[in-house]
């Protein structure tokens, strides 16, 4: 077990002044500071290229930060590999392009990490897998390969795969952006249920309806910084910053 | 050309080409007979393929078929070694560590820019003669119980020639390993970045990411290239004839000096190589097509 850093016990993620540069000196994100509370749903919105996906990918160490600190569940996400390993086991992630393992059945996709990382037996892993597939509504596809599923089904499997690790936080990186319009609803429904069950979620999304309905808090990013954040209704009804108003007027 | 626009029709041009080729072969054979005063004698060849054992009356492999089997064993173990080296070096070539990448790079460049014949000598004199003796492998194999010796003969080579076999296998493995490494590197790089990211995000260790997610997908992409490399290994294995490994080419050389049936023997050797490699290519194509049909 790693040394845990005392933070506000209610904070599952604590981000302090993080900066990430891309090669060539472009700053993807600058000096971002924010906290995520347990059982909170935070939606991160903003124009494309605003750094919101990069920010999300920093939270489980997929991107390495150049400055600042990230603490997840009391563990610092630093150069220490053990810390990073521990954090990525506890943080689930869902990607825009699903990224299911194409050479494995749905069942194996969901079982793999349970067995290899959590050391579960086949029976235990199967039981969890079937329960999760029932929950996301595709138990009949257990033995299918990803290529035999629709985009919406694939993304629901990807959500089940992340949930199988019993994560403390779920990160969603534009989970519905690659989907055909008729499939967006089924994935958002799963995400909504998850939020209602009290899962802590950080959601990068373009779905403003979803954000307003489900999010406890909206974070608006532009040009690598957090421009404005606030409680959902307040944010959409009475934005304070000019850039927020301009963004909302374009998309609503 | 538009696919399918090419009709398989026998044209006048085809007829002329085939006639010209037949004429050239006949002309060549006649000139060999008349100018070199060469007596074709194909009847000597079959006994070198299959012969009847005088004592038992059973059919056994002739010298050339024995050579072919040795070539196959040699190529198989070399390919296994090359694959292991290839996976290791292929991964080295794409790691974050600069020095690991440099090591991989040096190895690949060294092998690709050195004549394999020189490598054969290096391995034979340094490893074959010195290391196997020093490690006692040689005497261990010689003094092994009869059952073990038979297994070694079946899988590798006769115990008396084990040192040569080991040097030859290592030479070929190290040489082909460099090409394997490049194939495997390309295969790994062909796997989408999202796959590694997903494997990372669910918590798999680095080695599990490779073992369960990256390599299985890479293998699917590169299996045609791997099959091709195996066929190359068979062809390249001919050079170890220089260190007296009794593979097909060595057997051909031996027979030629004993019988002087130069043309018959080398034509037969060529045909035997071709049957082996051509057969494997065809098999590889069928497997590849099957895999593509299955689709995942």
């Amino acid at each position: 077990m790693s040394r845990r850093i005392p933070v506000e016990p209610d904070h599952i993620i604590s981000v302090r002044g993080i900066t990430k540069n891309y090669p060539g000196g472009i700053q993807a994100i600058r000096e971002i500071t924010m906290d995520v509370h347990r059982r909170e749903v935070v939606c991160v919105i903003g124009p494309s290229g605003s750094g919101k996906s990069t920010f999300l990918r920093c939270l489980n160490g997929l991107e390495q930060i150049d400055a600042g600190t990230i603490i997840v569940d009391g563990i610092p996400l630093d150069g220490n590999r053990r810390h990073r390993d521990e954090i990525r086991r506890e943080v689930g992630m869902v990607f825009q392009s699903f990224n299911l393992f194409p050479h494995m059945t749905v069942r194996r996709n969901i079982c793999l990490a349970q067995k290899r990382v959590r050391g579960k037996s086949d029976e235990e892993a199967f039981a969890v897998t079937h329960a999760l597939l029932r929950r996301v509504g595709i138990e009949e596809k257990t033995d299918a390969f990803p290529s035999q599923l629709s985009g919406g089904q694939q993304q629901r499997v990807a959500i089940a795969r992340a949930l199988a690790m019993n994560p403390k936080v779920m990160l969603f990186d534009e989970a519905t952006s690659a989907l055909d319009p008729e499939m967006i609803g089924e994935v958002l429904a799963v995400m909504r249920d998850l939020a209602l069950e009290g899962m802590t979620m950080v959601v990068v999304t373009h779905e403003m309806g979803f954000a307003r309905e489900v999010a406890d808090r909206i974070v608006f990013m532009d040009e690598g910084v957090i421009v404005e954040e606030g409680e959902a209704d307040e944010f959409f009804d009475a934005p304070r910053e000019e850039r927020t108003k301009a963004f909302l007027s374009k998309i609503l | 050309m538009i696919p399918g626009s090419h009709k398989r029709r026998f044209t006048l041009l085809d007829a002329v080409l085939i006639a010209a080729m037949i004429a050239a072969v006949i002309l060549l054979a006649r000139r060999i007979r008349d100018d070199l005063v060469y007596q074709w004698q194909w009847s000597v060849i079959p006994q070198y393929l299959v012969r009847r054992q005088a004592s038992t009356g059973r059919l056994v492999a002739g010298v050339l078929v024995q050579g072919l089997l040795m070539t196959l064993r040699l190529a198989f173990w070399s390919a296994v070694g090359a694959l292991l080296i290839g996976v290791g070096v292929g991964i080295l070539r794409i790691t974050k560590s600069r020095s690991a990448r440099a090591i991989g790079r040096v190895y690949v460049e060294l092998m690709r820019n050195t004549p394999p014949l020189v490598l054969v000598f290096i391995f034979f004199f340094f490893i074959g003669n010195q290391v196997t003796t020093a490690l006692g492998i040689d005497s261990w194999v010689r003094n092994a119980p009869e059952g073990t010796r038979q297994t070694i003969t079946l899988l590798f080579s006769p115990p008396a020639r084990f040192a040569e076999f080991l040097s030859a296998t290592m030479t070929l493995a190290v040489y082909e390993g460099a090409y394997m490494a490049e194939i495997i590197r390309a295969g790994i790089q062909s796997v989408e970045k999202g796959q590694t990211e997903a494997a990372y995000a669910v918590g798999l260790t680095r080695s599990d990411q490779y073992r369960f997610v990256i390599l299985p997908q890479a293998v699917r992409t590169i299996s045609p290239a791997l099959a091709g490399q195996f066929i190359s290994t068979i062809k390249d294995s001919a050079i170890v004839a220089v260190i007296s490994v009794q593979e097909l080419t060595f057997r051909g050389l031996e027979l030629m000096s004993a019988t002087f049936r130069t043309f018959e023997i080398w034509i037969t050797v060529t045909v035997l190589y071709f049957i082996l490699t051509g057969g494997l290519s065809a098999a590889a194509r069928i497997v590849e097509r099957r895999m593509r049909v299955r689709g995942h």
Side-chain angles (χ1 to χ4, degrees):
Chain A
M1 210 52 181
S2 309
R3 177 175 54 97
R4 295 200 181 252
I5 292 186
V7 286
E8 290 276 326
D10 189 36
H11 291 176
I12 184 93
I13 298 177
S14 181
V15 175
R16 290 288 171 272
I18 63 166
T19 295
K20 162 87 189 166
N21 304 315
Y22 278 134
I26 304 154
Q27 286 196 317
I29 52 175
R30 283 180 291 160
E31 295 279 329
I32 289 186
T33 293
M34 73 170 282
D35 296 306
V36 180
H37 303 251
R38 289 180 201 276
R39 302 174 72 86
E40 188 181 26
V41 177
V42 177
C43 280
V44 184
I45 64 173
S48 52
S50 59
K52 52 194 193 304
S53 279
T54 305
F55 167 66
L56 193 75
R57 290 161 57 86
C58 288
L59 297 181
N60 68 345
L62 262 182
E63 303 280 355
Q64 285 184 356
I65 53 175
D66 296 304
T69 57
I70 298 173
I71 298 168
V72 180
D73 200 24
I75 304 163
L77 184 55
D78 49 23
N80 187 324
R81 194 157 154 190
R82 297 260 302 279
H83 292 168
R84 286 212 316 174
D85 289 349
E86 212 169 311
I87 287 171
R88 63 198 176 95
R89 282 198 293 269
E90 305 302 336
V91 178
M93 187 162 196
V94 176
F95 299 86
Q96 181 177 354
S97 48
F98 329 137
N99 299 350
L100 291 178
F101 307 132
H103 56 300
M104 298 180 190
T105 60
V106 165
R107 187 210 306 263
R108 271 204 75 205
N109 262 283
I110 302 174
C111 283
L112 180 66
Q114 295 186 62
K115 292 200 281 192
R116 299 297 303 178
V117 182
R118 296 281 191 231
K120 287 188 197 166
S121 68
D122 274 345
E123 293 72 35
E124 289 173 296
F126 286 176
V128 171
T129 300
H130 290 142
L132 284 171
L133 284 175
R134 203 171 311 129
R135 188 158 148 199
V136 299
I138 34 176
E139 40 182 335
E140 74 280 7
K141 298 291 185 187
T142 310
D143 294 311
F145 282 91
S147 59
Q148 298 164 322
L149 305 180
S150 72
Q153 290 170 329
Q154 288 191 50
Q155 193 61 298
R156 284 185 281 157
V157 172
I159 293 173
R161 177 176 67 180
L163 290 176
M165 290 298 286
N166 207 7
K168 292 179 174 145
V169 193
M170 285 282 284
L171 309 178
F172 291 85
D173 187 6
E174 301 196 21
T176 57
S177 296
L179 293 172
D180 291 334
E182 73 270 22
M183 293 170 186
I184 291 174
E186 63 194 55
V187 172
L188 290 181
V190 170
M191 291 167 66
R192 190 177 296 120
D193 288 347
L194 210 53
L196 290 175
E197 287 161 30
M199 174 61 77
T200 310
M201 295 161 62
V202 183
V203 183
V204 170
T205 187
H206 292 294
E207 297 293 329
M208 294 306 145
F210 174 82
R212 180 164 194 162
E213 180 197 348
V214 176
D216 297 305
R217 183 154 50 112
I218 307 286
V219 171
F220 172 65
M221 283 183 68
D222 192 16
E223 294 176 345
V225 296
I226 294 178
V227 175
E228 179 169 352
E229 60 182 305
E231 187 266 325
D233 282 332
E234 190 187 297
F235 175 90
F236 283 108
D237 293 336
R240 294 183 303 269
E241 301 289 328
E242 280 311 312
R243 274 196 281 180
T244 317
K245 287 175 190 162
F247 176 72
L248 290 177
S249 72
K250 257 182 271 172
I251 55 159
L252 290 179
Chain B
M1 200 194 328
I2 305 157
S5 70
H6 181 87
K7 295 237 176 66
R8 291 188 182 200
R9 239 180 359 195
F10 193 78
T11 63
L12 184 63
L13 184 64
D14 294 318
V16 171
L17 280 174
I18 288 170
M21 275 194 289
I22 292 170
V25 170
I26 291 172
L27 207 65
L28 190 66
R30 287 176 69 110
R31 290 204 46 130
I32 289 167
R33 189 190 63 192
D34 299 340
D35 299 356
L36 294 175
V37 202
Y38 190 87
Q39 295 295 314
W40 288 96
Q41 226 182 335
W42 281 102
S43 60
V44 302
I45 293 299
Q47 59 177 317
Y48 302 132
L49 299 177
V50 187
R51 65 187 172 82
R52 197 171 287 281
Q53 208 168 30
S55 52
T56 60
R58 285 216 316 248
L59 285 177
V60 292
V63 176
L64 288 179
V65 169
Q66 281 175 19
L68 188 70
L69 293 175
M70 180 55 82
T71 291
L72 202 55
R73 284 192 283 257
L74 192 61
F76 175 77
W77 291 112
S78 304
V80 169
L83 197 61
L84 293 177
I85 293 172
V87 170
V89 177
I91 290 172
L92 272 193
R93 293 266 283 146
I94 50 171
T95 47
K96 282 192 192 130
S97 155
R98 213 172 252 273
S99 50
R101 282 208 309 268
I103 291 169
R105 179 95 199 260
V106 166
Y107 163 71
V108 169
E109 292 300 330
L110 209 57
M111 290 304 137
R112 293 210 299 188
N113 295 299
T114 319
L117 189 58
V118 173
L119 292 174
V120 172
F121 287 130
I122 291 175
F123 271 81
F124 181 54
F125 291 117
F126 292 165
I127 291 170
N129 281 6
Q130 314 294 327
V131 179
T132 50
T133 315
L135 289 177
I137 295 174
D138 227 13
S139 58
W140 178 81
V141 170
R142 274 176 220 268
N143 299 324
E146 186 52 30
T148 315
R149 286 164 58 90
Q150 273 174 2
T151 313
I152 289 171
T153 309
L154 189 71
L155 291 178
F156 305 101
S157 90
R161 295 184 171 274
F162 194 71
E164 285 91 337
F165 182 83
L166 199 64
S167 326
T169 306
M170 286 174 75
T171 314
L172 286 170
V174 167
Y175 178 70
E176 305 291 340
Y179 294 87
M180 289 280 195
E182 287 299 275
I183 293 172
I184 285 161
R185 177 176 68 95
I188 291 170
Q189 285 175 336
S190 77
V191 177
E192 275 177 58
K193 206 162 152 263
Q195 292 291 309
T196 319
E197 292 182 351
Y200 171 92
V202 291
L204 294 179
T205 62
R206 196 88 183 111
S207 60
D208 275 1
Q209 292 172 28
Y210 273 106
R211 183 172 153 205
F212 294 102
V213 177
I214 302 168
L215 288 178
Q217 292 185 63
V219 164
R220 265 154 233 257
T221 322
I222 61 179
S223 56
L226 286 179
Q229 197 57 38
F230 181 58
I231 287 161
S232 286
T233 309
I234 292 176
K235 293 190 291 176
D236 294 343
S237 73
I239 54 167
V240 301
V242 297
I243 55 168
S244 311
V245 176
Q246 295 180 314
E247 44 71 69
L248 185 53
T249 303
F250 180 81
R251 294 293 200 176
L253 284 166
E254 260 188 340
L255 269 188
M256 188 184 65
S257 50
T259 64
F260 300 107
R261 307 307 331 151
T262 315
F263 289 106
E264 293 90 330
I265 286 163
W266 290 117
I267 289 168
T268 310
V269 166
T270 307
V271 169
L272 287 175
Y273 270 120
F274 183 74
I275 290 171
L276 188 57
T277 54
L280 284 170
S281 306
R285 267 199 301 278
I286 291 168
V287 171
E288 194 193 332
R289 207 172 304 144
R290 289 257 169 84
M291 270 173 59
R292 209 176 309 143
V293 170
R294 267 199 293 132
H296 2 272

